[in-house]
Amino acid sequence: QVPLVESGGGFVQAGGSLSLSCESSGLPLPFRRYGAGWFRQAPGKEREFVAAIRRFGDYTYYANSVRGRFTISRDNTKNTVSLQMSGLTPADTAVYYCAANSDPYGTRRYDVSSEFDYWGQGTQVTVSS
């Protein structure tokens, strides 16, 4: 069973907006026990950090390239984490992955993919110029 399932990707013109959603259905513990994040990988490039949010939404983190354009949020009652994207450019074209980490003591890093334990299968975002 895939622990995280992304949705909402698609095709958009530069300057447009998209909203991604990730639903947790297969994590061993309740979703509220996990930090969550979004990473992306463009063709020929390494996977890179986009945004992350701690378990209760009290702390959020953003890559410099998306700060001010993207907003991450979560709803622990619905087991979802979302990424609202605006001001999209062709440089944002990538497969976007949702990830979760078990962080009971609040000590893990949120901008490093190796710190995340569970991953979704990804959703494609394509931005045309």
Side-chain angles (χ1 to χ4, degrees):
Q1 184 178 10
V2 179
L4 300 166
V5 179
E6 304 95 338
S7 62
F11 185 91
V12 65
Q13 291 188 331
S17 301
L18 274 177
S19 179
L20 305 182
S21 183
C22 172
E23 182 173 3
S24 160
S25 61
L27 294 173
L29 300 174
F31 183 62
R32 64 182 183 275
R33 300 284 293 272
Y34 297 89
W38 289 92
F39 289 76
R40 67 187 182 186
Q41 187 166 18
K45 295 187 177 181
E46 294 187 353
R47 189 170 298 188
E48 66 173 2
F49 168 70
V50 176
I53 188 167
R54 286 194 180 267
R55 292 188 297 154
F56 300 110
D58 47 349
Y59 290 94
T60 57
Y61 308 91
Y62 295 94
N64 289 335
S65 60
V66 307
R67 185 174 289 111
R69 300 188 298 122
F70 291 12
T71 301
I72 189 171
S73 61
R74 66 187 295 161
D75 185 340
N76 288 340
T77 66
K78 297 180 179 178
N79 299 332
T80 59
V81 57
S82 299
L83 186 69
Q84 304 283 340
M85 306 183 295
S86 63
L88 288 163
T89 74
D92 296 313
T93 295
V95 177
Y96 283 70
Y97 297 91
C98 175
N101 65 9
S102 175
D103 187 21
Y105 305 110
T107 58
R108 302 189 76 167
R109 289 188 61 175
Y110 280 75
D111 59 343
V112 178
S113 60
S114 60
E115 288 287 299
F116 285 80
D117 309 306
Y118 302 94
W119 292 84
Q121 293 182 322
T123 185
Q124 177 70 46
V125 172
T126 303
V127 184
S128 68
S129 58

